[in-house]
Amino acid sequence: NMLADVKAHWDAPELERRLDDVLRYNQRVWTLFQSELVDPANPLPIDIKKNLLSLSAFIDKRTYDLMAFPAPEKLDILISINRNVSTGLGVN
């Protein structure tokens, strides 16, 4: 939701700071996922772990791209992935 809010207010003052804060927060969340997925005690099937780790690598790449070359439309895929994953986890 924070990513969607930044996109909705792209022309707002302090966009750079807000975008940086939101991207770094999102990156921390995905880093937590990564650390849990590589934990040998994690009970998820290996195929799901691999898929989520691949997805997290994409998230990292898109995040760095957004930090270097900000554009509101680049947020769409991050917003979509986060919402789909949170729905799958029952977080909504």
Side-chain angles (χ1 to χ4, degrees):
N1 289 333
M2 292 186 302
L3 292 167
D5 186 61
V6 167
K7 183 181 180 203
H9 299 97
W10 193 257
D11 295 326
E14 299 185 23
L15 170 69
E16 283 186 45
R17 183 195 54 80
R18 291 185 66 230
L19 179 62
D20 187 63
D21 289 349
V22 168
L23 290 174
R24 289 184 189 280
Y25 178 81
N26 193 61
Q27 196 172 37
R28 284 192 301 271
V29 170
W30 279 94
T31 299
L32 287 172
F33 280 149
Q34 291 167 354
S35 65
E36 288 296 318
L37 290 167
V38 298
D39 183 347
N42 186 306
L44 286 174
I46 193 75
D47 287 346
I48 292 175
K49 287 182 190 182
K50 286 180 180 180
N51 289 339
L52 287 170
L53 284 169
S54 177
L55 188 60
S56 70
F58 172 82
I59 296 288
D60 285 343
K61 183 178 178 181
R62 177 53 62 110
T63 299
Y64 294 130
D65 179 58
L66 263 159
M67 287 176 169
F69 308 103
E73 64 276 1
K74 292 180 181 179
L75 289 168
D76 291 336
I77 191 67
L78 295 180
I79 293 165
S80 178
I81 291 169
N82 284 356
R83 286 183 174 162
N84 284 318
V85 169
S86 68
T87 298
L89 293 173
V91 176
N92 290 338

XYZ file of all heavy atoms in Angstrom:
742
model
N 0.817 -1.203 0.000
C 0.000 0.000 0.000
C 0.859 1.265 0.000
O 0.477 2.272 -0.577
C -0.952 -0.004 1.185
C -2.047 -1.038 1.026
O -2.423 -1.414 -0.090
N -2.566 -1.515 2.140
N 2.007 1.195 0.655
C 2.896 2.361 0.682
C 3.440 2.648 -0.715
O 3.559 3.810 -1.105
C 4.037 2.149 1.677
C 3.567 2.117 3.116
S 4.902 2.033 4.358
C 5.755 0.544 3.913
N 3.756 1.592 -1.468
C 4.220 1.784 -2.841
C 3.130 2.429 -3.687
O 3.395 3.340 -4.467
C 4.625 0.441 -3.453
C 5.869 -0.231 -2.881
C 5.960 -1.671 -3.364
C 7.112 0.538 -3.264
N 1.896 1.970 -3.533
C 0.776 2.526 -4.290
C 0.543 3.989 -3.923
O 0.218 4.806 -4.791
C -0.489 1.704 -4.058
N 0.734 4.319 -2.648
C 0.562 5.702 -2.214
C 1.614 6.611 -2.842
O 1.301 7.716 -3.288
C 0.624 5.791 -0.686
C 0.310 7.182 -0.189
O -0.811 7.671 -0.444
O 1.206 7.791 0.436
N 2.854 6.143 -2.899
C 3.912 6.938 -3.541
C 3.573 7.134 -5.016
O 3.710 8.237 -5.545
C 5.291 6.272 -3.369
C 6.320 6.899 -4.288
C 5.750 6.392 -1.927
N 3.116 6.074 -5.677
C 2.764 6.190 -7.095
C 1.619 7.180 -7.292
O 1.648 8.006 -8.201
C 2.378 4.838 -7.674
C 2.078 4.943 -9.146
C 1.658 3.634 -9.745
C 1.383 3.904 -11.225
N 0.509 2.963 -11.820
N 0.609 7.106 -6.428
C -0.551 7.988 -6.545
C -0.194 9.453 -6.311
O -0.879 10.349 -6.792
C -1.639 7.558 -5.557
N 0.882 9.686 -5.576
C 1.301 11.058 -5.251
C 2.693 11.333 -5.818
O 3.539 11.945 -5.155
C 1.277 11.264 -3.733
C -0.081 11.069 -3.150
N -0.477 9.887 -2.577
C -1.151 11.900 -3.102
C -1.730 9.994 -2.177
N -2.162 11.203 -2.489
N 2.917 10.884 -7.031
C 4.232 10.989 -7.666
C 4.743 12.422 -7.753
O 5.933 12.665 -7.700
C 4.186 10.345 -9.054
C 5.541 10.131 -9.630
C 6.157 10.877 -10.601
C 6.472 9.104 -9.282
N 7.408 10.374 -10.872
C 7.634 9.279 -10.071
C 6.447 8.051 -8.365
C 8.743 8.452 -9.977
C 7.552 7.221 -8.273
C 8.683 7.430 -9.075
N 3.835 13.374 -7.886
C 4.241 14.778 -8.012
C 4.309 15.504 -6.673
O 4.528 16.712 -6.636
C 3.275 15.519 -8.947
C 3.356 14.994 -10.369
O 4.464 14.593 -10.790
O 2.316 14.960 -11.052
N 4.157 14.765 -5.597
C 4.169 15.382 -4.266
C 5.577 15.835 -3.886
O 6.566 15.307 -4.392
C 3.649 14.383 -3.230
N 5.645 16.812 -2.986
C 6.961 17.249 -2.496
C 7.680 16.078 -1.814
O 7.052 15.167 -1.303
C 6.632 18.334 -1.476
C 5.217 18.709 -1.709
C 4.550 17.550 -2.382
N 8.972 16.136 -1.817
C 9.809 15.129 -1.159
C 9.637 13.726 -1.736
O 9.785 12.725 -1.037
C 9.556 15.118 0.349
C 9.884 16.433 1.031
C 9.745 16.350 2.531
O 9.821 15.242 3.093
O 9.575 17.408 3.143
N 9.313 13.645 -3.027
C 9.139 12.337 -3.663
C 10.381 11.471 -3.502
O 10.272 10.296 -3.160
C 8.801 12.483 -5.154
C 8.835 11.158 -5.928
C 7.688 10.263 -5.482
C 8.819 11.383 -7.405
N 11.541 12.049 -3.744
C 12.773 11.246 -3.671
C 12.928 10.586 -2.308
O 13.243 9.396 -2.228
C 13.995 12.110 -3.978
C 14.175 12.386 -5.444
C 15.485 13.121 -5.714
O 16.516 12.724 -5.141
O 15.434 14.077 -6.493
N 12.726 11.336 -1.249
C 12.859 10.782 0.107
C 11.806 9.718 0.361
O 12.106 8.633 0.864
C 12.756 11.878 1.166
C 12.953 11.343 2.599
C 12.501 12.335 3.654
N 11.145 12.808 3.489
C 10.041 12.134 3.849
N 10.145 10.923 4.350
N 8.842 12.662 3.697
N 10.558 10.025 -0.002
C 9.465 9.064 0.226
C 9.681 7.787 -0.571
O 9.500 6.681 -0.061
C 8.117 9.685 -0.125
C 7.698 10.795 0.847
C 6.307 11.330 0.564
N 5.327 10.293 0.827
C 4.361 9.946 -0.034
N 4.229 10.542 -1.193
N 3.499 9.001 0.273
N 10.077 7.933 -1.835
C 10.318 6.765 -2.671
C 11.455 5.932 -2.096
O 11.346 4.708 -1.985
C 10.631 7.187 -4.109
C 10.923 6.062 -5.099
C 9.718 5.146 -5.252
C 11.333 6.636 -6.445
N 12.519 6.585 -1.710
C 13.657 5.875 -1.125
C 13.245 5.134 0.147
O 13.583 3.963 0.328
C 14.786 6.862 -0.836
C 16.039 6.165 -0.381
O 16.599 5.376 -1.173
O 16.470 6.405 0.771
N 12.497 5.795 1.020
C 12.038 5.164 2.267
C 11.183 3.934 1.985
O 11.361 2.884 2.603
C 11.234 6.151 3.122
C 12.073 7.239 3.755
O 13.323 7.146 3.725
O 11.474 8.215 4.267
N 10.257 4.077 1.061
C 9.329 2.974 0.754
C 10.066 1.816 0.082
O 9.830 0.655 0.404
C 8.154 3.489 -0.111
C 7.339 2.357 -0.678
C 7.273 4.412 0.706
N 10.955 2.131 -0.837
C 11.712 1.066 -1.499
C 12.621 0.338 -0.513
O 12.742 -0.890 -0.556
C 12.524 1.631 -2.664
C 11.715 2.080 -3.872
C 12.621 2.756 -4.895
C 10.959 0.915 -4.511
N 13.241 1.071 0.373
C 14.108 0.431 1.373
C 13.293 -0.430 2.342
O 13.719 -1.522 2.723
C 14.928 1.468 2.127
C 16.007 2.067 1.250
C 16.902 3.042 2.004
N 17.772 3.745 1.094
C 18.893 3.249 0.591
N 19.273 2.034 0.913
N 19.642 3.955 -0.234
N 12.108 0.028 2.712
C 11.233 -0.776 3.583
C 10.840 -2.069 2.863
O 10.924 -3.163 3.431
C 9.990 0.026 3.973
C 9.034 -0.770 4.816
C 9.248 -0.907 6.185
C 7.935 -1.402 4.253
C 8.391 -1.650 6.970
C 7.070 -2.161 5.025
C 7.299 -2.281 6.379
O 6.448 -3.034 7.151
N 10.425 -1.942 1.614
C 10.029 -3.111 0.837
C 11.204 -4.081 0.699
O 11.035 -5.301 0.797
C 9.507 -2.676 -0.535
C 8.794 -3.780 -1.256
O 7.794 -4.301 -0.784
N 9.296 -4.137 -2.430
N 12.379 -3.526 0.504
C 13.578 -4.348 0.381
C 13.856 -5.108 1.680
O 14.225 -6.285 1.651
C 14.752 -3.447 0.030
C 15.955 -4.150 -0.502
C 16.970 -3.141 -1.007
O 17.148 -2.073 -0.429
N 17.642 -3.479 -2.091
N 13.648 -4.470 2.819
C 13.835 -5.156 4.107
C 12.856 -6.307 4.274
O 13.219 -7.382 4.762
C 13.704 -4.163 5.267
C 14.922 -3.285 5.450
C 14.914 -2.515 6.759
N 13.772 -1.639 6.933
C 13.716 -0.371 6.537
N 14.749 0.178 5.933
N 12.642 0.349 6.735
N 11.601 -6.078 3.871
C 10.591 -7.141 3.954
C 11.023 -8.347 3.113
O 10.989 -9.489 3.572
C 9.200 -6.628 3.511
C 8.216 -7.776 3.362
C 8.679 -5.594 4.499
N 11.456 -8.076 1.876
C 11.866 -9.168 0.998
C 13.165 -9.816 1.484
O 13.365 -11.023 1.280
C 11.956 -8.684 -0.444
C 10.582 -8.674 -1.056
C 9.716 -7.630 -1.118
C 9.903 -9.793 -1.623
N 8.532 -8.029 -1.706
C 8.629 -9.353 -2.021
C 10.243 -11.122 -1.834
C 7.698 -10.196 -2.625
C 9.315 -11.966 -2.441
C 8.064 -11.497 -2.822
N 14.025 -9.082 2.148
C 15.228 -9.672 2.723
C 14.856 -10.644 3.838
O 15.464 -11.714 3.972
C 16.183 -8.573 3.246
O 16.564 -7.756 2.135
C 17.418 -9.159 3.904
N 13.831 -10.306 4.602
C 13.333 -11.236 5.631
C 12.808 -12.512 4.986
O 13.072 -13.620 5.473
C 12.238 -10.578 6.476
C 12.698 -9.516 7.452
C 11.505 -8.801 8.083
C 13.574 -10.134 8.525
N 12.049 -12.371 3.900
C 11.584 -13.549 3.162
C 12.770 -14.401 2.732
O 12.775 -15.622 2.891
C 10.789 -13.163 1.912
C 9.360 -12.768 2.156
C 8.761 -11.833 1.330
C 8.605 -13.329 3.157
C 7.440 -11.464 1.522
C 7.290 -12.967 3.361
C 6.705 -12.028 2.540
N 13.780 -13.750 2.155
C 14.955 -14.478 1.672
C 15.621 -15.264 2.800
O 15.961 -16.437 2.630
C 15.953 -13.511 1.034
C 15.480 -12.915 -0.256
C 16.333 -11.732 -0.708
O 17.222 -11.275 0.000
N 16.041 -11.228 -1.890
N 15.798 -14.619 3.933
C 16.476 -15.302 5.047
C 15.647 -16.474 5.563
O 16.198 -17.514 5.930
C 16.811 -14.321 6.171
O 15.651 -13.807 6.762
N 14.344 -16.333 5.575
C 13.480 -17.439 6.001
C 13.483 -18.574 4.980
O 13.436 -19.748 5.341
C 12.046 -16.944 6.228
C 11.878 -16.088 7.465
C 12.172 -16.843 8.746
O 11.754 -18.023 8.874
O 12.832 -16.272 9.625
N 13.536 -18.223 3.714
C 13.489 -19.240 2.665
C 14.758 -20.087 2.614
O 14.705 -21.253 2.218
C 13.238 -18.584 1.301
C 11.842 -18.002 1.127
C 11.788 -17.100 -0.103
C 10.793 -19.104 1.033
N 15.896 -19.530 2.983
C 17.138 -20.299 2.959
C 17.404 -21.026 4.282
O 18.348 -21.814 4.370
C 18.358 -19.428 2.572
C 18.190 -18.875 1.172
C 18.598 -18.324 3.575
N 16.569 -20.804 5.261
C 16.698 -21.497 6.545
C 16.373 -22.982 6.345
O 15.288 -23.317 5.880
C 15.739 -20.872 7.559
C 15.847 -21.474 8.940
O 16.474 -22.543 9.102
O 15.280 -20.878 9.875
N 17.302 -23.871 6.694
C 17.061 -25.308 6.514
C 15.829 -25.821 7.265
O 15.242 -26.827 6.884
C 18.331 -25.964 7.054
C 19.364 -24.896 7.044
C 18.633 -23.595 7.199
N 15.425 -25.113 8.303
C 14.258 -25.528 9.075
C 12.942 -25.106 8.429
O 11.868 -25.507 8.886
C 14.342 -24.972 10.491
N 13.010 -24.306 7.379
C 11.790 -23.854 6.706
C 11.085 -25.055 6.083
O 11.678 -25.790 5.297
C 12.137 -22.820 5.630
C 10.915 -22.216 4.996
O 10.050 -22.915 4.512
N 10.856 -20.903 4.999
N 9.797 -25.265 6.424
C 9.083 -26.461 5.972
C 8.497 -26.392 4.551
O 7.936 -27.376 4.077
C 7.951 -26.583 6.998
C 7.654 -25.169 7.377
C 9.001 -24.473 7.359
N 8.638 -25.269 3.871
C 8.074 -25.164 2.526
C 8.752 -26.147 1.574
O 9.942 -26.417 1.705
C 8.241 -23.749 1.974
C 7.350 -22.663 2.539
C 7.776 -21.302 1.981
C 5.900 -22.934 2.210
N 7.994 -26.644 0.602
C 8.607 -27.499 -0.423
C 9.685 -26.736 -1.185
O 9.587 -25.520 -1.392
C 7.432 -27.847 -1.349
C 6.203 -27.624 -0.522
C 6.552 -26.520 0.437
N 10.718 -27.448 -1.613
C 11.875 -26.837 -2.259
C 11.489 -26.041 -3.504
O 12.050 -24.977 -3.764
C 12.966 -27.900 -2.585
C 14.276 -27.215 -2.967
C 12.520 -28.831 -3.677
C 15.017 -26.644 -1.823
N 10.515 -26.520 -4.284
C 10.102 -25.798 -5.491
C 9.515 -24.429 -5.150
O 9.783 -23.447 -5.845
C 9.084 -26.605 -6.296
C 9.711 -27.791 -7.005
O 10.955 -27.851 -7.093
O 8.952 -28.668 -7.472
N 8.736 -24.368 -4.090
C 8.150 -23.089 -3.673
C 9.250 -22.155 -3.181
O 9.270 -20.969 -3.504
C 7.057 -23.295 -2.602
C 5.862 -24.011 -3.240
C 6.628 -21.965 -1.994
C 4.772 -24.388 -2.283
N 10.192 -22.693 -2.428
C 11.321 -21.880 -1.960
C 12.086 -21.294 -3.142
O 12.408 -20.108 -3.159
C 12.271 -22.715 -1.109
C 11.755 -23.068 0.253
C 12.831 -23.852 0.977
C 12.341 -24.458 2.245
N 13.409 -25.167 2.969
N 12.384 -22.134 -4.123
C 13.133 -21.670 -5.290
C 12.366 -20.586 -6.041
O 12.950 -19.583 -6.465
C 13.436 -22.834 -6.223
C 14.516 -23.746 -5.726
C 14.766 -24.880 -6.718
C 15.851 -25.810 -6.233
N 16.095 -26.915 -7.181
N 11.076 -20.789 -6.215
C 10.260 -19.796 -6.924
C 10.221 -18.467 -6.176
O 10.332 -17.400 -6.783
C 8.851 -20.320 -7.159
C 8.800 -21.421 -8.199
O 9.686 -21.562 -9.026
N 7.753 -22.223 -8.142
N 10.048 -18.530 -4.871
C 10.016 -17.298 -4.081
C 11.374 -16.609 -4.045
O 11.454 -15.378 -4.066
C 9.509 -17.579 -2.667
C 8.011 -17.859 -2.559
C 7.651 -18.367 -1.163
C 7.198 -16.621 -2.899
N 12.440 -17.381 -4.017
C 13.777 -16.775 -4.061
C 14.031 -16.119 -5.416
O 14.622 -15.045 -5.488
C 14.849 -17.815 -3.750
C 14.966 -18.186 -2.273
C 15.853 -19.412 -2.094
C 15.491 -17.015 -1.461
N 13.547 -16.740 -6.464
C 13.663 -16.142 -7.796
C 12.865 -14.840 -7.863
O 13.328 -13.838 -8.407
C 13.177 -17.134 -8.849
O 13.208 -16.566 -10.124
N 11.682 -14.870 -7.301
C 10.851 -13.674 -7.255
C 11.527 -12.576 -6.436
O 11.527 -11.407 -6.828
C 9.484 -14.024 -6.665
C 8.405 -12.973 -6.692
C 8.087 -12.543 -8.124
C 7.146 -13.515 -6.021
N 12.142 -12.944 -5.339
C 12.816 -11.942 -4.510
C 14.021 -11.347 -5.238
O 14.323 -10.165 -5.074
C 13.222 -12.522 -3.155
O 14.265 -13.442 -3.282
N 14.694 -12.131 -6.071
C 15.804 -11.601 -6.870
C 15.277 -10.578 -7.876
O 15.904 -9.544 -8.116
C 16.537 -12.733 -7.583
N 14.110 -10.865 -8.458
C 13.481 -9.904 -9.376
C 13.126 -8.622 -8.628
O 13.347 -7.516 -9.130
C 12.229 -10.504 -10.021
C 11.459 -9.500 -10.810
C 11.843 -9.184 -12.105
C 10.376 -8.847 -10.251
C 11.143 -8.233 -12.839
C 9.669 -7.896 -10.972
C 10.051 -7.586 -12.267
N 12.582 -8.765 -7.424
C 12.217 -7.600 -6.605
C 13.462 -6.748 -6.350
O 13.428 -5.522 -6.479
C 11.584 -8.033 -5.263
C 10.265 -8.757 -5.481
C 11.426 -6.846 -4.317
C 9.114 -7.911 -5.916
N 14.569 -7.398 -5.994
C 15.818 -6.659 -5.759
C 16.232 -5.887 -7.011
O 16.564 -4.700 -6.942
C 16.942 -7.613 -5.359
C 16.815 -8.122 -3.941
O 16.052 -7.522 -3.143
O 17.474 -9.125 -3.615
N 16.213 -6.557 -8.141
C 16.634 -5.923 -9.397
C 15.744 -4.725 -9.738
O 16.220 -3.652 -10.095
C 16.589 -6.953 -10.526
C 17.076 -6.425 -11.838
C 17.051 -7.509 -12.903
C 17.493 -6.935 -14.223
N 17.472 -7.919 -15.294
N 14.428 -4.900 -9.604
C 13.495 -3.808 -9.906
C 13.681 -2.667 -8.919
O 13.609 -1.495 -9.287
C 12.054 -4.327 -9.873
C 10.971 -3.266 -10.114
C 11.150 -2.443 -11.393
N 11.096 -3.229 -12.574
C 10.128 -3.204 -13.465
N 9.114 -2.395 -13.312
N 10.199 -3.972 -14.529
N 13.926 -2.979 -7.670
C 14.129 -1.948 -6.652
C 15.351 -1.099 -6.979
O 15.282 0.138 -6.950
C 14.268 -2.590 -5.260
O 13.056 -3.304 -4.957
C 14.528 -1.544 -4.193
N 16.459 -1.749 -7.317
C 17.672 -0.991 -7.664
C 17.446 -0.156 -8.921
O 17.922 0.973 -9.017
C 18.866 -1.924 -7.835
C 19.254 -2.606 -6.544
C 19.438 -3.987 -6.501
C 19.419 -1.889 -5.361
C 19.786 -4.620 -5.312
C 19.764 -2.511 -4.187
C 19.950 -3.880 -4.166
O 20.287 -4.504 -2.990
N 16.718 -0.703 -9.878
C 16.408 0.041 -11.095
C 15.583 1.293 -10.763
O 15.838 2.377 -11.282
C 15.663 -0.849 -12.087
C 15.293 -0.115 -13.354
O 16.198 0.416 -14.030
O 14.076 -0.068 -13.675
N 14.605 1.129 -9.887
C 13.769 2.271 -9.482
C 14.566 3.322 -8.725
O 14.327 4.517 -8.866
C 12.615 1.792 -8.607
C 11.299 1.578 -9.308
C 10.400 0.651 -8.504
C 10.616 2.894 -9.541
N 15.515 2.871 -7.920
C 16.335 3.831 -7.183
C 17.206 4.639 -8.146
O 17.401 5.834 -7.951
C 17.214 3.099 -6.163
C 16.455 2.582 -4.983
S 17.551 1.629 -3.899
C 16.505 1.446 -2.457
N 17.701 3.975 -9.160
C 18.579 4.648 -10.118
C 17.814 5.464 -11.150
O 18.242 6.553 -11.535
C 19.460 3.617 -10.831
N 16.682 4.935 -11.590
C 15.894 5.563 -12.659
C 14.418 5.563 -12.275
O 13.643 4.742 -12.772
C 16.102 4.820 -13.984
C 17.545 4.644 -14.353
C 18.178 3.419 -14.170
C 18.275 5.708 -14.864
C 19.516 3.251 -14.500
C 19.612 5.556 -15.200
C 20.238 4.328 -15.012
N 14.003 6.453 -11.370
C 12.619 6.459 -10.887
C 11.605 6.724 -12.006
O 11.821 7.589 -12.854
C 12.584 7.600 -9.872
C 13.995 7.932 -9.575
C 14.807 7.501 -10.752
N 10.521 5.958 -11.984
C 9.400 6.152 -12.896
C 8.182 5.491 -12.253
O 8.280 4.350 -11.781
C 9.678 5.537 -14.263
N 7.056 6.190 -12.198
C 5.899 5.659 -11.480
C 5.402 4.316 -12.019
O 4.988 3.450 -11.240
C 4.836 6.752 -11.624
C 5.280 7.586 -12.777
C 6.765 7.473 -12.840
N 5.476 4.107 -13.331
C 4.960 2.856 -13.899
C 5.800 1.635 -13.485
O 5.305 0.507 -13.490
C 4.859 2.940 -15.421
C 6.168 3.113 -16.146
C 6.673 4.548 -16.241
O 6.026 5.485 -15.721
O 7.744 4.728 -16.838
N 7.030 1.872 -13.079
C 7.878 0.769 -12.624
C 7.417 0.207 -11.278
O 7.803 -0.896 -10.900
C 9.336 1.212 -12.524
C 9.988 1.499 -13.855
C 11.430 1.924 -13.641
C 12.124 2.252 -14.930
N 13.524 2.678 -14.701
N 6.614 0.971 -10.564
C 6.093 0.509 -9.281
C 4.997 -0.534 -9.442
O 4.759 -1.335 -8.529
C 5.553 1.686 -8.464
C 6.594 2.639 -7.902
C 5.928 3.909 -7.386
C 7.377 1.966 -6.796
N 4.333 -0.543 -10.592
C 3.173 -1.421 -10.785
C 3.473 -2.883 -10.482
O 2.704 -3.547 -9.783
C 2.625 -1.294 -12.207
C 1.970 0.048 -12.460
O 1.532 0.701 -11.487
O 1.887 0.440 -13.638
N 4.583 -3.404 -11.000
C 4.888 -4.818 -10.794
C 5.202 -5.112 -9.332
O 4.805 -6.149 -8.799
C 6.011 -5.308 -11.741
C 6.125 -6.826 -11.704
C 7.328 -4.655 -11.410
C 4.941 -7.549 -12.279
N 5.879 -4.194 -8.653
C 6.153 -4.398 -7.225
C 4.860 -4.397 -6.420
O 4.669 -5.227 -5.532
C 7.096 -3.325 -6.690
C 8.520 -3.299 -7.239
C 9.313 -2.174 -6.587
C 9.211 -4.627 -7.049
N 3.981 -3.469 -6.744
C 2.691 -3.393 -6.058
C 1.910 -4.688 -6.278
O 1.373 -5.279 -5.336
C 1.889 -2.163 -6.552
C 2.579 -0.870 -6.116
C 0.449 -2.221 -6.052
C 2.079 0.373 -6.835
N 1.861 -5.133 -7.511
C 1.120 -6.355 -7.853
C 1.689 -7.582 -7.142
O 0.947 -8.370 -6.550
C 1.148 -6.557 -9.369
O 0.485 -7.747 -9.717
N 2.996 -7.742 -7.187
C 3.622 -8.891 -6.529
C 3.374 -8.856 -5.031
O 2.981 -9.863 -4.424
C 5.130 -8.944 -6.837
C 5.355 -9.299 -8.308
C 5.836 -9.944 -5.913
C 6.787 -9.130 -8.776
N 3.586 -7.709 -4.409
C 3.373 -7.603 -2.961
C 1.935 -7.928 -2.590
O 1.686 -8.639 -1.611
C 3.736 -6.210 -2.463
C 5.226 -5.990 -2.367
O 6.028 -6.889 -2.595
N 5.610 -4.770 -2.038
N 0.999 -7.426 -3.346
C -0.416 -7.695 -3.032
C -0.754 -9.162 -3.227
O -1.465 -9.751 -2.403
C -1.318 -6.802 -3.875
C -1.296 -5.365 -3.381
C -2.223 -4.462 -4.137
N -2.233 -3.138 -3.498
C -2.650 -2.046 -4.081
N -3.096 -2.086 -5.333
N -2.623 -0.895 -3.437
N -0.239 -9.775 -4.271
C -0.505 -11.195 -4.500
C 0.112 -12.069 -3.416
O -0.510 -13.014 -2.932
C -0.014 -11.634 -5.884
C -0.930 -11.176 -6.976
O -2.139 -11.225 -6.870
N -0.352 -10.673 -8.060
N 1.332 -11.755 -3.032
C 1.993 -12.533 -1.976
C 1.274 -12.324 -0.647
O 1.022 -13.288 0.085
C 3.492 -12.176 -1.872
C 4.109 -12.767 -0.613
C 4.235 -12.656 -3.115
N 0.900 -11.090 -0.328
C 0.219 -10.853 0.944
C -1.154 -11.537 0.964
O -1.559 -12.070 1.998
C 0.094 -9.361 1.244
O -0.780 -8.730 0.351
N -1.825 -11.579 -0.172
C -3.101 -12.304 -0.249
C -2.881 -13.790 -0.008
O -3.618 -14.441 0.741
C -3.782 -12.076 -1.624
O -4.073 -10.691 -1.752
C -5.058 -12.871 -1.745
N -1.828 -14.328 -0.628
C -1.512 -15.743 -0.453
C -1.144 -16.087 0.985
O -1.392 -17.192 1.441
N -0.567 -15.131 1.681
C -0.201 -15.348 3.090
C -1.357 -15.031 4.038
O -1.236 -15.235 5.237
C 1.001 -14.463 3.451
C 2.311 -14.806 2.751
C 3.369 -13.737 3.067
C 2.798 -16.185 3.162
N -2.441 -14.508 3.493
C -3.594 -14.147 4.326
C -3.375 -12.898 5.149
O -3.968 -12.723 6.197
N -2.527 -11.990 4.644
C -2.191 -10.772 5.381
C -3.223 -9.679 5.170
O -3.359 -8.794 5.991
C -0.776 -10.271 4.989
C -0.433 -8.962 5.653
C 0.251 -11.336 5.332
N -3.943 -9.693 4.083
C -4.875 -8.597 3.776
C -5.923 -8.431 4.790
O -6.621 -8.846 5.391
C -5.510 -8.797 2.405
C -4.471 -8.588 1.320
O -3.455 -7.944 1.530
N -4.726 -9.149 0.174
